[in-house]
Amino acid sequence: MQHQQNILILDFGSQYTQLIARRIRESKVYCEIHTHSFPVEKIKEQNPTGIILSGGPMSVYEDDSPKVNPEIFNLGIPILGICYGLQLITTNFGGKVEAAKSREYGKANIELVDDDVLLMGVNDGSVIWMSHGDYVTDMPNGFTVTAKTENSPLCAISDPKRKIFGVQFHPEVAHTQFGKRVLDNFIFEVCGCKADWTPQHFISEEIEEVKAKVGSKKVICALSGGVDSSVAAILIHRAVGEQLVCFHVDHGMMRKNESEAIIKMFDDHYNLHVIHIDASELFLSRLAGVTEPEKKRKIIGNSFIEVFESEAKKYSDAEFLVQGTLYPDVIESVSVKGQSVTIKTHHNVGGLPERMNLKLIEPFRELFKDEVRAIGRELGLPEIFIKRHPFPGPGLAVRVLGEITKERLDILREADDIFISALHEFHLYDKIWQAFAVLLPVQTVGVMGDARTYENVIALRAVTSTDGMTADWFRFDGDFLENVSNKIIRSVRGVNRVVYDISSKPPATIEWE
């Protein structure tokens, strides 16, 4: 989609780059992340309203550190350099960057030195967030210092004539008190953007684009029942109506009553043409005896493609496939050395488009999860559905550790249902990014009545996160955990022990497999 105005973020490998994008989009301005080696010709073609150079883990004076094409400073486009970005601006304009005697990491207080459009509305002495081992020791030509801290005498620099600015701190992180103001000053005051990138605007643009692309052809969609595929289906349905056919494949590893609830919701409210395929027996027979996680995923992925393909062949006039791919899946990620660029390929229905000769429609490939939720709200999806926690494609298969059988899946379904119901009951569900139960492949001794038991262990997992990239375990109070544990052990046959997982990501992942 071509956007009339957009901010281009060039990534130098900072862990905070996605945060810059999220903050700008929160201000209703469209922005995109590209790797630092994004060619100048393409930048000219895109004609961004402003450019932001991100932070990065390297030192600008190292030989193999990522550089920026100096030509971008002559395009007449406003530029803001953050941390490493500031240091790139400095070296490009004849200043000097050196290693600091002590790394500055964490909170510092900003001291305003000179009036500056970028720092308008920032309180003198307010808290900023630092994360750097180098600092500017000689000013670049044509710039003035606008702020300093105790350890960084040149903490913010400005050349309003050329509209080039640099800050040593990170305005995108929540710890910087007036960080949002600094970014807003850049996008609105310096670049002159308008705050018009809204869900309504996105929906109407996308509908027009899909109509033009699809014409009178058929479109198919794999409807998992997750937020992304459901919002995508409703959006595309708005554009092409009856030309959209949705398939919901029940692979036998959905949560309790989940497939029925999904079909009912779409039948009752959205007039969508949904075909329900119960392929649980096929999947379970192929998974019999398999314990290795990667092998399980492969079997499920391949079987899914096979089932979907055989159903979709009945619609030989279909030319398009809808996928709920999100922006974090397509962002080019920069390695620490800045040289190798790896593009994460992660398609919900991997391999299908090529095999079936279908063209892809990915309405959300420029959006973050919370933006998809906002679009779902605008399209009238129920809140309880929009706020659903992420659920993996292979479903409960990655939460039944060891061999997958119907019996083990049923044990997990019951335990998981008790846990999730309790989260809703105690109004905790919306405070958590993802919560679920895991069935472990170990059995432990217990006592029930007067008899010894030798039964299964259920682990509970609940994490907080903003995007799933990092996550922290949720601090339940002991009474809640005790309540859930008692209920699971009393109600679910075959379970005599419940444990709670207190690992963060990293080093652990959110899912267990």
Side-chain angles (χ1 to χ4, degrees):
M1 201 185 283
Q2 269 309 98
H3 297 275
Q4 282 168 321
Q5 43 169 36
N6 74 75
I7 299 291
L8 173 67
I9 301 166
L10 294 180
D11 180 24
F12 293 88
S14 165
Q15 57 178 335
Y16 300 136
T17 303
Q18 282 201 26
L19 263 185
I20 304 172
R22 294 170 72 93
R23 293 286 171 264
I24 290 171
R25 289 181 175 200
E26 280 164 15
S27 293
K28 299 186 174 59
V29 171
Y30 181 73
C31 63
E32 268 179 24
I33 298 172
H34 287 283
T35 171
H36 62 87
S37 53
F38 194 57
V40 168
E41 294 65 52
K42 286 212 170 153
I43 295 177
K44 285 179 183 164
E45 218 174 278
Q46 226 185 49
N47 190 22
T49 326
I51 296 173
I52 294 180
L53 311 176
S54 84
M58 305 281 285
S59 293
V60 285
Y61 46 76
E62 286 174 21
D63 291 342
D64 57 354
S65 63
K67 300 287 187 276
V68 67
N69 187 328
E71 221 186 304
I72 73 159
F73 297 111
N74 303 323
L75 298 176
I77 298 169
I79 291 176
L80 169 63
I82 294 173
C83 194
Y84 187 87
L86 158 86
Q87 295 166 10
L88 282 169
I89 291 169
T90 301
T91 52
N92 267 282
F93 288 98
K96 198 171 179 189
V97 173
E98 293 180 274
K101 289 184 185 66
S102 55
R103 279 195 74 229
E104 197 170 16
Y105 184 81
K107 292 175 179 175
N109 296 85
I110 192 167
E111 201 181 311
L112 303 178
V113 178
D114 206 342
D115 281 346
D116 183 39
V117 61
L118 195 71
L119 302 175
M120 272 186 340
V122 174
N123 283 5
D124 198 19
S126 62
V127 171
I128 54 174
W129 184 259
M130 294 289 213
S131 173
H132 62 107
D134 300 323
Y135 68 132
V136 178
T137 51
D138 272 353
M139 275 295 279
N141 301 321
F143 286 78
T144 53
V145 183
T146 54
K148 62 180 185 177
T149 67
E150 202 177 330
N151 293 327
S152 287
L154 310 170
C155 177
I157 62 171
S158 146
D159 179 349
K161 259 201 207 73
R162 282 183 294 201
K163 293 192 173 177
I164 300 175
F165 303 83
V167 293
Q168 184 59 74
F169 59 93
H170 286 273
E172 68 275 27
V173 303
H175 309 297
T176 296
Q177 267 178 316
F178 290 90
K180 186 95 168 60
R181 176 63 65 87
V182 171
L183 291 173
D184 281 355
N185 285 342
F186 179 68
I187 58 182
F188 296 125
E189 304 300 329
V190 178
C191 303
C193 291
K194 291 185 189 70
D196 61 5
W197 197 68
T198 60
Q200 301 91 315
H201 179 86
F202 175 87
I203 290 165
S204 54
E205 270 195 358
E206 194 62 42
I207 286 174
E208 288 314 306
E209 198 167 301
V210 169
K211 275 182 178 164
K213 189 174 180 179
V214 169
S216 58
K217 304 285 190 300
K218 271 252 186 306
V219 182
I220 55 179
C221 172
L223 194 60
S224 67
V227 175
D228 308 331
S229 68
S230 302
V231 178
I234 289 165
L235 177 63
I236 303 303
H237 186 252
R238 283 263 177 112
V240 301
E242 293 302 299
Q243 292 159 245
L244 175 70
V245 181
C246 297
F247 298 94
H248 174 69
V249 178
D250 180 357
H251 49 30
M253 285 153 289
M254 304 296 278
R255 287 166 290 201
K256 190 176 177 182
N257 303 332
E258 189 163 26
S259 285
E260 295 79 357
I262 291 160
I263 301 297
K264 186 171 167 25
M265 182 180 88
F266 284 109
D267 279 354
D268 291 357
H269 301 290
Y270 298 102
N271 205 13
L272 276 188
H273 183 183
V274 183
I275 293 164
H276 182 202
I277 304 146
D278 184 354
S280 47
E281 282 183 19
L282 171 81
F283 280 85
L284 289 174
S285 65
R286 290 184 178 178
L287 287 164
V290 179
T291 57
E292 208 252 305
E294 212 33 55
K295 207 168 168 195
K296 284 195 229 175
R297 281 177 184 273
K298 277 211 174 73
I299 290 170
I300 293 166
N302 294 337
S303 304
F304 183 90
I305 289 173
E306 199 180 302
V307 170
F308 189 86
E309 196 175 13
S310 72
E311 286 295 326
K313 271 191 180 142
K314 298 170 188 170
Y315 296 84
S316 54
D317 51 348
E319 280 193 24
F320 295 91
L321 172 72
V322 179
Q323 284 193 175
T325 314
L326 298 189
Y327 196 37
D329 301 324
V330 294
I331 291 175
E332 299 177 15
S333 53
V334 182
S335 78
V336 169
K337 284 285 176 201
Q339 302 309 320
S340 77
V341 172
T342 52
I343 298 173
K344 194 171 149 198
T345 54
H346 160 88
H347 288 310
N348 311 13
V349 194
L352 262 179
E354 299 80 19
R355 278 179 57 158
M356 294 175 64
N357 214 1
L358 294 168
K359 299 185 197 89
L360 271 180
I361 297 178
E362 297 176 302
F364 305 143
R365 63 178 287 119
E366 298 175 342
L367 302 188
F368 291 106
K369 187 83 174 185
D370 49 348
E371 293 171 324
V372 174
R373 288 190 166 121
I375 284 162
R377 274 190 196 99
E378 195 63 34
L379 290 167
L381 266 160
E383 200 62 22
I384 188 153
F385 192 82
I386 284 168
K387 288 185 169 170
R388 292 185 80 184
H389 294 173
F391 187 60
L396 299 180
V398 295
R399 296 173 183 174
V400 168
L401 308 196
E403 190 186 357
I404 296 169
T405 61
K406 184 169 185 309
E407 184 193 16
R408 298 190 76 215
L409 283 163
D410 285 341
I411 289 173
L412 179 59
R413 266 190 269 270
E414 292 303 323
D416 189 73
D417 186 55
I418 290 168
F419 182 33
I420 301 301
S421 301
L423 293 177
H424 283 298
E425 190 188 329
F426 288 87
H427 306 295
L428 294 169
Y429 187 84
D430 293 345
K431 295 179 179 168
I432 292 167
W433 166 264
Q434 205 170 348
F436 52 90
V438 182
L439 180 64
L440 303 191
V442 291
Q443 295 193 308
T444 69
V445 174
V447 181
M448 288 203 181
D450 294 328
R452 279 165 74 82
T453 59
Y454 198 58
E455 291 181 333
N456 294 290
V457 183
I458 288 282
L460 304 179
R461 180 90 163 122
V463 297
T464 55
S465 177
T466 52
D467 51 16
M469 311 289 265
T470 61
D472 195 14
W473 60 279
F474 186 78
R475 272 69 173 166
F476 287 115
D477 72 45
D479 291 348
F480 174 83
L481 288 172
E482 182 182 20
N483 178 320
V484 170
S485 167
N486 287 342
K487 217 171 195 171
I488 290 173
I489 291 168
R490 272 203 315 270
S491 319
V492 185
R493 287 186 72 101
V495 175
N496 67 0
R497 193 177 295 263
V498 174
V499 297
Y500 183 53
D501 176 353
I502 58 166
S503 331
S504 294
K505 173 186 179 180
T509 51
I510 296 178
E511 296 286 348
W512 277 46
E513 273 193 355

PDB file of all heavy atoms in Angstrom, residues 271-287:
ATOM      1  N   ASN A 271     -22.378 -13.877   8.475  1.00  0.00           N
ATOM      2  CA  ASN A 271     -22.832 -14.267   7.155  1.00  0.00           C
ATOM      3  C   ASN A 271     -21.667 -14.714   6.271  1.00  0.00           C
ATOM      4  O   ASN A 271     -21.662 -14.490   5.067  1.00  0.00           O
ATOM      5  CB  ASN A 271     -23.527 -13.045   6.531  1.00  0.00           C
ATOM      6  CG  ASN A 271     -24.518 -13.478   5.481  1.00  0.00           C
ATOM      7  OD1 ASN A 271     -24.841 -14.663   5.413  1.00  0.00           O
ATOM      8  ND2 ASN A 271     -24.977 -12.556   4.674  1.00  0.00           N
ATOM      9  N   LEU A 272     -20.640 -15.279   6.913  1.00  0.00           N
ATOM     10  CA  LEU A 272     -19.468 -15.745   6.156  1.00  0.00           C
ATOM     11  C   LEU A 272     -19.711 -17.169   5.694  1.00  0.00           C
ATOM     12  O   LEU A 272     -20.314 -17.972   6.410  1.00  0.00           O
ATOM     13  CB  LEU A 272     -18.227 -15.761   7.062  1.00  0.00           C
ATOM     14  CG  LEU A 272     -17.426 -14.491   7.266  1.00  0.00           C
ATOM     15  CD1 LEU A 272     -16.164 -14.821   8.029  1.00  0.00           C
ATOM     16  CD2 LEU A 272     -17.045 -13.827   5.972  1.00  0.00           C
ATOM     17  N   HIS A 273     -19.199 -17.495   4.546  1.00  0.00           N
ATOM     18  CA  HIS A 273     -19.309 -18.853   4.009  1.00  0.00           C
ATOM     19  C   HIS A 273     -18.149 -19.673   4.606  1.00  0.00           C
ATOM     20  O   HIS A 273     -17.027 -19.615   4.114  1.00  0.00           O
ATOM     21  CB  HIS A 273     -19.203 -18.757   2.480  1.00  0.00           C
ATOM     22  CG  HIS A 273     -19.362 -20.072   1.795  1.00  0.00           C
ATOM     23  ND1 HIS A 273     -19.245 -20.222   0.435  1.00  0.00           N
ATOM     24  CD2 HIS A 273     -19.625 -21.305   2.278  1.00  0.00           C
ATOM     25  CE1 HIS A 273     -19.420 -21.485   0.126  1.00  0.00           C
ATOM     26  NE2 HIS A 273     -19.649 -22.157   1.214  1.00  0.00           N
ATOM     27  N   VAL A 274     -18.415 -20.386   5.723  1.00  0.00           N
ATOM     28  CA  VAL A 274     -17.350 -21.143   6.400  1.00  0.00           C
ATOM     29  C   VAL A 274     -17.589 -22.643   6.239  1.00  0.00           C
ATOM     30  O   VAL A 274     -18.662 -23.144   6.568  1.00  0.00           O
ATOM     31  CB  VAL A 274     -17.292 -20.818   7.919  1.00  0.00           C
ATOM     32  CG1 VAL A 274     -16.131 -21.569   8.575  1.00  0.00           C
ATOM     33  CG2 VAL A 274     -17.124 -19.326   8.156  1.00  0.00           C
ATOM     34  N   ILE A 275     -16.575 -23.333   5.733  1.00  0.00           N
ATOM     35  CA  ILE A 275     -16.666 -24.791   5.597  1.00  0.00           C
ATOM     36  C   ILE A 275     -15.854 -25.421   6.723  1.00  0.00           C
ATOM     37  O   ILE A 275     -14.659 -25.131   6.878  1.00  0.00           O
ATOM     38  CB  ILE A 275     -16.132 -25.213   4.216  1.00  0.00           C
ATOM     39  CG1 ILE A 275     -17.090 -24.675   3.153  1.00  0.00           C
ATOM     40  CG2 ILE A 275     -16.016 -26.727   4.115  1.00  0.00           C
ATOM     41  CD1 ILE A 275     -16.549 -24.675   1.774  1.00  0.00           C
ATOM     42  N   HIS A 276     -16.534 -26.240   7.525  1.00  0.00           N
ATOM     43  CA  HIS A 276     -15.904 -26.862   8.702  1.00  0.00           C
ATOM     44  C   HIS A 276     -15.419 -28.258   8.316  1.00  0.00           C
ATOM     45  O   HIS A 276     -16.200 -29.092   7.891  1.00  0.00           O
ATOM     46  CB  HIS A 276     -16.941 -26.930   9.829  1.00  0.00           C
ATOM     47  CG  HIS A 276     -16.376 -27.503  11.089  1.00  0.00           C
ATOM     48  ND1 HIS A 276     -17.160 -28.071  12.061  1.00  0.00           N
ATOM     49  CD2 HIS A 276     -15.101 -27.592  11.550  1.00  0.00           C
ATOM     50  CE1 HIS A 276     -16.380 -28.493  13.055  1.00  0.00           C
ATOM     51  NE2 HIS A 276     -15.138 -28.198  12.759  1.00  0.00           N
ATOM     52  N   ILE A 277     -14.116 -28.486   8.454  1.00  0.00           N
ATOM     53  CA  ILE A 277     -13.554 -29.793   8.096  1.00  0.00           C
ATOM     54  C   ILE A 277     -13.014 -30.451   9.366  1.00  0.00           C
ATOM     55  O   ILE A 277     -12.054 -29.953   9.970  1.00  0.00           O
ATOM     56  CB  ILE A 277     -12.393 -29.624   7.083  1.00  0.00           C
ATOM     57  CG1 ILE A 277     -12.879 -28.857   5.849  1.00  0.00           C
ATOM     58  CG2 ILE A 277     -11.811 -30.977   6.692  1.00  0.00           C
ATOM     59  CD1 ILE A 277     -11.842 -27.970   5.242  1.00  0.00           C
ATOM     60  N   ASP A 278     -13.622 -31.551   9.771  1.00  0.00           N
ATOM     61  CA  ASP A 278     -13.119 -32.278  10.945  1.00  0.00           C
ATOM     62  C   ASP A 278     -12.120 -33.326  10.465  1.00  0.00           C
ATOM     63  O   ASP A 278     -12.491 -34.373   9.949  1.00  0.00           O
ATOM     64  CB  ASP A 278     -14.277 -32.950  11.696  1.00  0.00           C
ATOM     65  CG  ASP A 278     -13.779 -33.632  12.978  1.00  0.00           C
ATOM     66  OD1 ASP A 278     -12.545 -33.673  13.187  1.00  0.00           O
ATOM     67  OD2 ASP A 278     -14.613 -34.131  13.749  1.00  0.00           O
ATOM     68  N   ALA A 279     -10.833 -32.998  10.622  1.00  0.00           N
ATOM     69  CA  ALA A 279      -9.787 -33.915  10.153  1.00  0.00           C
ATOM     70  C   ALA A 279      -9.015 -34.478  11.335  1.00  0.00           C
ATOM     71  O   ALA A 279      -7.873 -34.919  11.202  1.00  0.00           O
ATOM     72  CB  ALA A 279      -8.848 -33.162   9.215  1.00  0.00           C
ATOM     73  N   SER A 280      -9.645 -34.468  12.526  1.00  0.00           N
ATOM     74  CA  SER A 280      -8.901 -34.837  13.735  1.00  0.00           C
ATOM     75  C   SER A 280      -8.359 -36.267  13.693  1.00  0.00           C
ATOM     76  O   SER A 280      -7.237 -36.523  14.121  1.00  0.00           O
ATOM     77  CB  SER A 280      -9.751 -34.618  14.983  1.00  0.00           C
ATOM     78  OG  SER A 280     -11.028 -35.156  14.809  1.00  0.00           O
ATOM     79  N   GLU A 281      -9.131 -37.181  13.119  1.00  0.00           N
ATOM     80  CA  GLU A 281      -8.654 -38.585  13.096  1.00  0.00           C
ATOM     81  C   GLU A 281      -7.406 -38.732  12.240  1.00  0.00           C
ATOM     82  O   GLU A 281      -6.471 -39.444  12.594  1.00  0.00           O
ATOM     83  CB  GLU A 281      -9.772 -39.517  12.617  1.00  0.00           C
ATOM     84  CG  GLU A 281     -10.786 -39.782  13.736  1.00  0.00           C
ATOM     85  CD  GLU A 281     -11.871 -40.767  13.323  1.00  0.00           C
ATOM     86  OE1 GLU A 281     -11.660 -41.510  12.334  1.00  0.00           O
ATOM     87  OE2 GLU A 281     -12.922 -40.774  13.983  1.00  0.00           O
ATOM     88  N   LEU A 282      -7.414 -38.059  11.097  1.00  0.00           N
ATOM     89  CA  LEU A 282      -6.249 -38.124  10.207  1.00  0.00           C
ATOM     90  C   LEU A 282      -4.993 -37.601  10.922  1.00  0.00           C
ATOM     91  O   LEU A 282      -3.939 -38.246  10.920  1.00  0.00           O
ATOM     92  CB  LEU A 282      -6.514 -37.272   8.964  1.00  0.00           C
ATOM     93  CG  LEU A 282      -5.298 -37.070   8.048  1.00  0.00           C
ATOM     94  CD1 LEU A 282      -5.105 -38.273   7.143  1.00  0.00           C
ATOM     95  CD2 LEU A 282      -5.432 -35.798   7.214  1.00  0.00           C
ATOM     96  N   PHE A 283      -5.104 -36.421  11.552  1.00  0.00           N
ATOM     97  CA  PHE A 283      -3.952 -35.820  12.236  1.00  0.00           C
ATOM     98  C   PHE A 283      -3.461 -36.722  13.366  1.00  0.00           C
ATOM     99  O   PHE A 283      -2.260 -36.972  13.496  1.00  0.00           O
ATOM    100  CB  PHE A 283      -4.323 -34.439  12.786  1.00  0.00           C
ATOM    101  CG  PHE A 283      -4.288 -33.341  11.761  1.00  0.00           C
ATOM    102  CD1 PHE A 283      -5.386 -33.092  10.947  1.00  0.00           C
ATOM    103  CD2 PHE A 283      -3.157 -32.550  11.606  1.00  0.00           C
ATOM    104  CE1 PHE A 283      -5.363 -32.080  10.001  1.00  0.00           C
ATOM    105  CE2 PHE A 283      -3.123 -31.528  10.664  1.00  0.00           C
ATOM    106  CZ  PHE A 283      -4.230 -31.289   9.848  1.00  0.00           C
ATOM    107  N   LEU A 284      -4.378 -37.202  14.193  1.00  0.00           N
ATOM    108  CA  LEU A 284      -3.975 -38.010  15.358  1.00  0.00           C
ATOM    109  C   LEU A 284      -3.335 -39.327  14.926  1.00  0.00           C
ATOM    110  O   LEU A 284      -2.377 -39.781  15.553  1.00  0.00           O
ATOM    111  CB  LEU A 284      -5.164 -38.250  16.290  1.00  0.00           C
ATOM    112  CG  LEU A 284      -5.617 -37.000  17.053  1.00  0.00           C
ATOM    113  CD1 LEU A 284      -6.890 -37.269  17.839  1.00  0.00           C
ATOM    114  CD2 LEU A 284      -4.525 -36.507  18.000  1.00  0.00           C
ATOM    115  N   SER A 285      -3.838 -39.910  13.844  1.00  0.00           N
ATOM    116  CA  SER A 285      -3.238 -41.183  13.405  1.00  0.00           C
ATOM    117  C   SER A 285      -1.804 -40.946  12.922  1.00  0.00           C
ATOM    118  O   SER A 285      -0.917 -41.758  13.143  1.00  0.00           O
ATOM    119  CB  SER A 285      -4.088 -41.830  12.309  1.00  0.00           C
ATOM    120  OG  SER A 285      -4.075 -41.013  11.156  1.00  0.00           O
ATOM    121  N   ARG A 286      -1.568 -39.804  12.290  1.00  0.00           N
ATOM    122  CA  ARG A 286      -0.207 -39.512  11.794  1.00  0.00           C
ATOM    123  C   ARG A 286       0.752 -39.132  12.918  1.00  0.00           C
ATOM    124  O   ARG A 286       1.965 -39.234  12.769  1.00  0.00           O
ATOM    125  CB  ARG A 286      -0.257 -38.390  10.763  1.00  0.00           C
ATOM    126  CG  ARG A 286      -0.918 -38.842   9.483  1.00  0.00           C
ATOM    127  CD  ARG A 286      -0.879 -37.778   8.426  1.00  0.00           C
ATOM    128  NE  ARG A 286      -1.474 -38.281   7.201  1.00  0.00           N
ATOM    129  CZ  ARG A 286      -1.628 -37.560   6.105  1.00  0.00           C
ATOM    130  NH1 ARG A 286      -1.207 -36.311   6.086  1.00  0.00           N
ATOM    131  NH2 ARG A 286      -2.177 -38.073   5.027  1.00  0.00           N
ATOM    132  N   LEU A 287       0.199 -38.649  14.016  1.00  0.00           N
ATOM    133  CA  LEU A 287       1.055 -38.227  15.136  1.00  0.00           C
ATOM    134  C   LEU A 287       1.325 -39.364  16.126  1.00  0.00           C
ATOM    135  O   LEU A 287       2.120 -39.189  17.049  1.00  0.00           O
ATOM    136  CB  LEU A 287       0.390 -37.061  15.882  1.00  0.00           C
ATOM    137  CG  LEU A 287       0.407 -35.718  15.134  1.00  0.00           C
ATOM    138  CD1 LEU A 287      -0.597 -34.757  15.744  1.00  0.00           C
ATOM    139  CD2 LEU A 287       1.805 -35.096  15.160  1.00  0.00           C
TER     140      LEU A 287
END
